[in-house]
């Protein structure tokens, strides 16, 4: 459990794929917010002294046998409540309204007509159309809907299909919306959430990067005292920001260990050393473990086996190097909030394991250290803000995510240094073109090359070539759970394909991956 001195909103998760997004939107409104399963014990939630509750959507019908319920403490607390979609139906059902069961889903955009524009929920809505001043696009995704409002509630807005698209019991501060304010397809949805937390719950806007850094610097100093801290730096955003924050707090009591496993992208290892050792002035132990990794990966082609070997090896090398440092009291990690939420939900009887996501910076499980995890309350976008505020370069803070096992899972088939080098070169050509076109932030969220263990015939000059194929993968995604292939400009692709073949002078065939997730995953292994 985490505690905070900030005004706090609790989001109860009823299984919607958007639950995390609700919490992020509240944080974007500078209000601290935490996400918990609806079945979390009341004591845990009430200990946070929340200022209000948001009930997420979910896949159930309130009439389903064993459907998730509204815990008694929520209404008993007398605090404001906002129910979204299933959350609205729960709230209505719980207060004596009637929910109509329906087999037909409404999914997609709808036009919201606001009956009560002065309600705090709609404060500062920029009304888009002069012709229809009180209408706005919202996103619907529901089967059931509220048919009769409970006593005390009145409708605030409607759509053609939902007479109660928004409703409230204003005296009790219970609000409910059938649409999804958290998704980008509801253009003013953020404002609904911001209005609820500020103007209904009365929360202060005190969740800011500057406050966060100041609080964490104090907290880390208190936790660590005169002790020494070791941190595994992977070159990724999370461990980098954790290192910078802890360094600000305790300076040379922090030692970073960076293991170069040879599976990083072009120039990456050098950049990590330059940034942290030279620019940030941190104590950094850089370990060249390339040979060791290549030896243990020789002949391995199975993706899961690659992941296991890389993960285990990291733990062993990290331990070995940490032991050389003398007495160390703490292990610091770049654990972030989605990791915390995910591990809290681990005991759910989950679906199939598609692939195990090992993080090479991950925790050596049997190491006897106390943990320092200053980012464990932050979402990724917040981690980036903190990184920027701490003075880390954009090239590091805005790096696209890179899997822990690195190029090993993009070098399909056997891993050799020669194949890794070819992949690195192709990847660098592709990513450099995207960087030049400024397409590595908004336009693509993950972009990389993959080397396939499949040969194809080509012709260069007068000669025949027979080389492995390079695939280009670029995706757009909000959360990496689903993704679409990025529609890249043909001219850019043409430049990549030409220069991919030329400097290698080997005549690799270049193909473009146009599969979305699902059915494919983002990585090829
Ligand atoms: P998939 O391929 O499952 O990837 O669609 C979703 C996101 O997770 C990253 N990924 C990993 N990250 N260790 C990691 O730290 C792993 O083993 C791993 N496998 C995939 C992937 O790059 C994408 O961002």
């Amino acid at each position: 459990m985490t505690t905070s001195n900030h005004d706090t909103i609790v989001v109860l998760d009823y299984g919607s794929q958007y639950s995390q997004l609700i919490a992020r939107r509240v944080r974007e409104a500078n209000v601290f917010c935490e996400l918990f399963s609806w079945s979390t014990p009341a004591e845990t939630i009430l200990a946070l002294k929340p200022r209000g509750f948001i009930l997420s959507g979910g896949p159930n019908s309130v009439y389903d046998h064993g459907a998730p319920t509204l815990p008694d403490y929520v209404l008993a607390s007398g605090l404001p409540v906002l129910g979204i979609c299933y959350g609205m139906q729960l709230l209505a059902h719980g207060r004596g309204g009637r929910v109509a069961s329906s087999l037909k889903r409404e999914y997609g955009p709808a036009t919201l007509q606001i009956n009560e524009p002065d309600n705090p929920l709609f404060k500062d809505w920029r009304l888009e159309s002069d012709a229809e001043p009180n209408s706005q696009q919202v996103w619907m995704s529901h089967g059931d809907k509220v048919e009769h409002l409970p006593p005390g509630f009145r409708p605030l807005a409607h759509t053609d299909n939902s007479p109660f698209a928004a409703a409230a019991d204003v005296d009790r501060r219970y609000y409910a919306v059938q649409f999804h304010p958290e998704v980008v397809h509801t253009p003013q949805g953020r404002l609904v959430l911001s209005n609820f937390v500020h103007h209904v719950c009365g929360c202060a806007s005190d969740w800011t990067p500057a406050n966060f850094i100041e609080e964490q610097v104090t907290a880390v100093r208190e936790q660590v005292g005169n002790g020494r801290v070791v941190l595994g730096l992977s070159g990724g955003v999370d461990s980098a920001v954790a290192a910078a924050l802890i360094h600000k707090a305790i300076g040379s009591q922090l030692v970073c260990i960076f293991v170069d496993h040879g599976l990083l992208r072009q120039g990456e290892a050098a950049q990590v050393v330059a940034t942290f050792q030279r620019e940030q002035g941190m104590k950094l132990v850089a370990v060249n473990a390339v040979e060791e990794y290549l030896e243990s990966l020789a002949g391995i082609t199975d993706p899961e086996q690659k992941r296991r070997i890389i993960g285990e090896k990291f733990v062993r090398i990290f331990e070995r190097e940490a032991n050389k440092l003398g007495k160390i009291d703490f292990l610091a990690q770049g654990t972030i909030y989605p990791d915390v939420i995910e591990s809290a939900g681990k005991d759910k009887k989950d679906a199939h394991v598609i692939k195990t996501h090992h993080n090479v910076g991950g925790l050596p499980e049997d190491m006897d250290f106390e943990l320092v995890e200053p980012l464990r309350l932050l979402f990724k976008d917040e981690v980036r803000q903190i990184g920027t505020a701490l003075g880390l370069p954009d090239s590091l803070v805005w790096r696209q995510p890179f899997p822990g096992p690195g190029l090993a899972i993009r070098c399909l088939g056997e891993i050799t240094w020669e194949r890794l080098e070819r992949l690195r070169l192709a990847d660098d050509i592709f990513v450099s073109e995207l960087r030049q076109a400024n397409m590595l932030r908004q336009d693509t969220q993950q972009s990389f090359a993959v080397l396939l263990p499949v040969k194809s015939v080509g012709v260069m000059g007068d000669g025949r070539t027979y080389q492995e194929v390079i695939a280009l993968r670029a995706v757009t995604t909000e959360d990496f759970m689903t993704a679409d292939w990025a529609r890249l400009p043909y001219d850019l692709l043409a430049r990549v394909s030409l220069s991919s073949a030329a400097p290698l002078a080997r005549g690799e065939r270049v193909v473009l991956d146009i599969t979305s997730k699902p059915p494919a995953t983002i990585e090829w292994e």
Side-chain angles (χ1 to χ4, degrees):
M1 192 188 69
T2 43
T3 50
S4 130
N5 301 323
H6 300 270
D7 286 349
T8 300
I9 294 292
V10 165
V11 178
L12 292 182
D13 182 6
Y14 286 93
S16 161
Q17 52 172 326
Y18 303 133
S19 300
Q20 280 197 33
L21 209 47
I22 301 173
R24 273 171 53 191
R25 296 289 179 248
V26 173
R27 302 259 193 109
E28 284 166 14
N30 299 117
V31 172
F32 183 61
C33 178
E34 284 212 68
L35 176 69
F36 292 93
S37 160
W38 66 275
S39 57
T40 305
E43 312 82 76
T44 309
I45 305 287
L46 295 174
L48 297 170
K49 302 195 172 61
R51 299 288 305 259
F53 293 98
I54 301 181
L55 317 175
S56 84
N60 291 87
S61 160
V62 291
Y63 298 116
D64 285 347
H65 180 68
T69 53
L70 181 60
D72 290 341
Y73 69 83
V74 173
L75 299 185
S77 71
L79 293 165
V81 181
L82 171 66
I84 297 175
C85 198
Y86 182 73
M88 171 186 213
Q89 293 152 18
L90 265 184
L91 190 56
H93 187 61
R95 298 288 304 161
R98 198 165 77 224
V99 175
S101 216
S102 153
L103 292 177
K104 195 175 143 274
R105 288 191 68 77
E106 182 186 13
Y107 184 81
T111 302
L112 189 77
Q113 304 282 347
I114 301 173
N115 320 352
E116 218 176 274
D118 295 335
N119 187 277
L121 213 55
F122 302 120
K123 186 172 159 38
D124 296 331
W125 267 49
R126 289 182 314 282
L127 300 169
E128 270 172 4
S129 147
D130 289 341
E132 292 191 71
N134 290 333
S135 76
Q136 259 299 328
Q137 183 192 299
V138 293
W139 188 258
M140 291 287 192
S141 171
H142 64 109
D144 294 1
K145 65 182 175 198
V146 175
E147 203 172 57
H148 281 297
L149 288 176
F153 275 76
R154 60 176 191 257
L156 300 180
H158 64 276
T159 66
D160 283 351
N161 194 43
S162 296
F164 310 124
D169 177 337
V170 173
D171 293 340
R172 290 192 176 79
R173 301 184 295 171
Y174 296 153
Y175 284 76
V177 292
Q178 185 57 71
F179 60 91
H180 286 271
E182 67 277 23
V183 302
V184 286
H185 313 295
T186 301
Q188 305 217 40
R190 285 163 200 251
L191 202 53
V192 169
L193 291 167
S194 171
N195 283 339
F196 175 71
V197 299
H198 288 121
H199 303 303
V200 179
C201 302
C203 294
S205 299
D206 61 0
W207 182 250
T208 60
N211 285 351
F212 178 85
I213 292 172
E214 202 182 301
E215 286 161 17
Q216 286 304 316
V217 163
T218 309
V220 169
R221 280 184 190 147
E222 268 172 23
Q223 184 188 1
V224 170
N226 294 321
R228 290 176 75 211
V229 182
V230 67
L231 177 143
L233 206 55
S234 68
V237 183
D238 303 340
S239 62
V241 175
L245 187 54
I246 296 171
H247 184 246
K248 185 176 169 74
I250 58 166
S252 61
Q253 285 166 261
L254 170 71
V255 185
C256 296
I257 297 180
F258 167 60
V259 179
D260 180 2
H261 49 25
L263 304 166
L264 294 174
R265 289 166 292 188
Q266 195 85 296
E268 234 167 11
Q271 191 204 15
V272 170
V273 177
T275 305
F276 291 94
Q277 217 165 40
R278 290 203 285 279
E279 288 163 34
Q280 301 270 322
M282 291 188 201
K283 271 195 195 163
L284 173 72
V285 179
V287 188
N288 183 338
V290 177
E291 286 301 323
E292 234 176 293
Y293 270 92
L294 284 177
E295 258 169 44
S296 55
L297 287 167
I300 307 294
T301 56
D302 177 69
E304 287 297 290
Q305 224 181 330
K306 286 180 185 173
R307 282 192 163 80
R308 194 175 47 72
I309 291 172
I310 293 167
E312 284 173 5
K313 195 134 212 69
F314 176 80
V315 173
R316 275 200 299 275
I317 296 177
F318 187 83
E319 256 174 326
R320 192 176 71 204
E321 294 300 323
N323 285 337
K324 290 184 195 162
L325 297 173
K327 185 169 161 21
I328 295 284
D329 314 274
F330 299 90
L331 176 70
Q333 294 203 122
T335 312
I336 69 170
Y337 198 49
D339 307 330
V340 175
I341 297 174
E342 196 182 299
S343 54
K346 274 263 158 59
D347 29 345
K348 282 187 199 158
K349 14 178 193 350
D350 265 337
H352 299 170
V353 172
I354 308 293
K355 54 182 92 164
T356 46
H357 280 203
H358 278 303
N359 199 330
V360 162
L363 170 68
E365 263 171 24
D366 51 357
M367 287 182 99
D368 191 18
F369 290 134
E370 196 182 314
L371 288 180
V372 181
E373 296 180 311
L375 310 180
R376 61 182 284 118
L377 287 176
L378 301 189
F379 286 112
K380 193 85 176 185
D381 31 10
E382 296 175 308
V383 173
R384 292 202 160 105
Q385 281 181 31
I386 300 294
T388 301
L390 288 167
L392 291 176
D394 270 7
S395 56
L396 214 153
V397 167
W398 283 100
R399 276 181 47 163
Q400 293 189 336
F402 185 59
L407 295 184
I409 57 168
R410 296 178 179 173
C411 187
L412 273 52
E414 196 182 350
I415 295 162
T416 63
W417 185 250
E418 189 271 330
R419 292 188 77 225
L420 284 172
E421 284 288 273
R422 252 189 294 150
L423 172 57
R424 248 190 284 274
L425 191 50
D427 185 75
D428 189 46
I429 290 166
F430 183 37
V431 174
S432 301
E433 282 291 347
L434 289 167
R435 186 176 301 116
Q436 255 174 31
N438 199 17
M439 293 189 74
L440 288 173
R441 277 206 212 175
Q442 268 93 345
D443 302 292
T444 67
Q445 279 67 55
Q446 210 164 8
S447 322
F448 52 90
V450 183
L451 184 65
L452 310 187
V454 176
K455 287 189 169 182
S456 82
V457 173
V459 51
M460 282 192 80
D462 296 327
R464 175 186 193 266
T465 59
Y466 189 48
Q467 291 300 334
E468 289 180 326
V469 176
I470 285 167
L472 305 178
R473 177 81 163 141
V475 297
T476 57
T477 174
E478 273 250 342
D479 54 9
F480 299 87
M481 304 290 282
T482 60
D484 196 7
W485 57 282
R487 306 321 195 239
L488 301 178
Y490 281 163
D491 288 349
L492 182 144
L493 289 170
R495 284 196 298 279
V496 174
S497 115
L498 270 180
S499 46
S500 295
L504 299 166
R506 301 169 60 119
E508 270 94 347
R509 190 176 291 260
V510 180
V511 299
L512 178 67
D513 180 355
I514 52 164
T515 333
S516 58
K517 172 183 180 177
T521 53
I522 295 174
E523 305 286 349
W524 278 49
E525 285 196 335

